[in-house]
Amino acid sequence: DGGITQSPKYLFRKEGQNVTLSCEQNLNHDAMYWYRQDPGQGLRLIYYSQIVNDFQKGDIAEGYSVSREKKESFPLTVTSAQKNPTAFYLCASNNRLGSGTDYEQYFGPGTRLTVT
Amino acid sequence: EDQVTQSPEALRLQEGESSSLNCSYTVSGLRGLFWYRQDPGKGPEFLFTLYSAGEEKEKERLKATLTKKESFLHITAPKPEDSATYLCAVQGDTDKLIFGTGTRLQVFP
């Protein structure tokens, strides 16, 4: 079964702690993305990576960090510098920008992070 | 600035009552417009991609259409299992998708 896995489904942390969210894909996609979803708001892009060992900031990168050491994996670290970390985090992937169906992004099941 | 606006925010339908969801957009160099379905607590599920004005795509009770300024998701004779939030997104000449805030659809038996 090809797809995107995110773990864990639910994550609880104390304020001031860093936490890393996992995202793995076996679709052989080049590009991977991290979004944050809050009630009443559209998905907001945190970071994205189009190729291994390279990534770019999205619209709300402050307080987050990523790495892309393997094509299949794109972990997201929520640092203590992120002011409002409680949210639903979604990972997505697609083929490297080209044409046609390459633009279609496919999403994982999400991780709900609660920081108290 | 690329922008996507979806309306209505919420829609309640009786089972079998057809309706349409709207996605208005402004984007530089449209590469694609995407529709997703999202169930509570889950990731968005890809439905359709539309690339140019006049294009239409269908899947079961859903039909998506595209003009130069907006897209419609038509739902024909909906069933309770069609209840979900429907998201619209566009990709212009950047590397990013721009998402609307979604339409929350509830279909009652």
Side-chain angles (χ1 to χ4, degrees):
Chain A
D1 262 347
I4 301 173
T5 56
Q6 291 186 245
S7 60
K9 188 177 173 81
Y10 298 98
L11 192 53
F12 298 88
R13 280 295 182 269
K14 294 290 187 186
E15 197 172 315
Q17 293 178 335
N18 291 355
V19 59
T20 297
L21 282 59
S22 167
C23 177
E24 304 276 332
Q25 55 98 0
N26 62 3
L27 300 168
N28 199 34
H29 283 167
D30 294 304
M32 298 185 74
Y33 307 79
W34 273 106
Y35 293 90
R36 168 182 173 138
Q37 188 173 37
D38 295 283
Q41 299 195 41
L43 275 67
R44 292 184 290 167
L45 183 64
I46 304 172
Y47 268 99
Y48 62 104
S49 167
Q50 293 188 312
I51 196 168
V52 173
N53 293 322
D54 189 39
F55 48 82
Q56 289 77 40
K57 291 182 179 181
D59 301 315
I60 56 165
E62 186 175 348
Y64 300 97
S65 66
V66 293
S67 62
R68 185 88 186 275
E69 297 176 1
K70 298 188 299 182
K71 186 176 183 178
E72 302 79 22
S73 178
F74 191 40
L76 173 75
T77 296
V78 184
T79 76
S80 56
Q82 168 50 233
K83 300 259 186 273
N84 296 295
T86 294
F88 189 49
Y89 289 88
L90 289 159
C91 178
S93 70
N94 65 358
N95 282 320
R96 193 169 181 182
L97 290 181
S99 62
T101 59
D102 285 350
Y103 297 129
E104 296 167 1
Q105 287 188 15
Y106 293 88
F107 285 82
T111 292
R112 184 163 299 280
L113 172 65
T114 302
V115 176
T116 57
Chain B
E1 182 185 343
D2 297 347
Q3 192 170 356
V4 175
T5 303
Q6 291 188 247
S7 63
E9 286 186 16
L11 183 62
R12 292 164 56 100
L13 298 174
Q14 203 70 34
E15 185 173 1
E17 179 186 3
S18 302
S19 188
S20 297
L21 283 55
N22 178 264
C23 172
S24 298
Y25 66 91
T26 55
V27 66
S28 300
L30 180 70
R31 288 181 177 172
L33 184 141
F34 308 89
W35 282 99
Y36 291 87
R37 169 192 170 126
Q38 186 175 25
D39 292 302
K42 297 190 176 181
E45 173 191 345
F46 172 77
L47 292 174
F48 304 109
T49 307
L50 301 167
Y51 294 103
S52 57
E55 189 174 1
E56 299 182 352
K57 288 195 176 169
E58 286 187 69
K59 180 179 179 180
E60 295 181 357
R61 295 176 291 282
L62 300 177
K63 178 180 177 180
T65 62
L66 181 65
T67 73
K68 289 187 176 179
K69 293 184 178 180
E70 58 191 350
S71 176
F72 291 94
L73 185 65
H74 306 279
I75 303 177
T76 302
K79 298 182 178 182
E81 53 262 42
D82 294 321
S83 297
T85 295
Y86 290 85
L87 301 173
C88 172
V90 297
Q91 181 152 28
D93 52 13
T94 70
D95 299 333
K96 311 171 190 178
L97 288 190
I98 307 299
F99 281 85
T101 54
T103 293
R104 189 173 67 255
L105 174 66
Q106 292 179 294
V107 182
F108 295 91

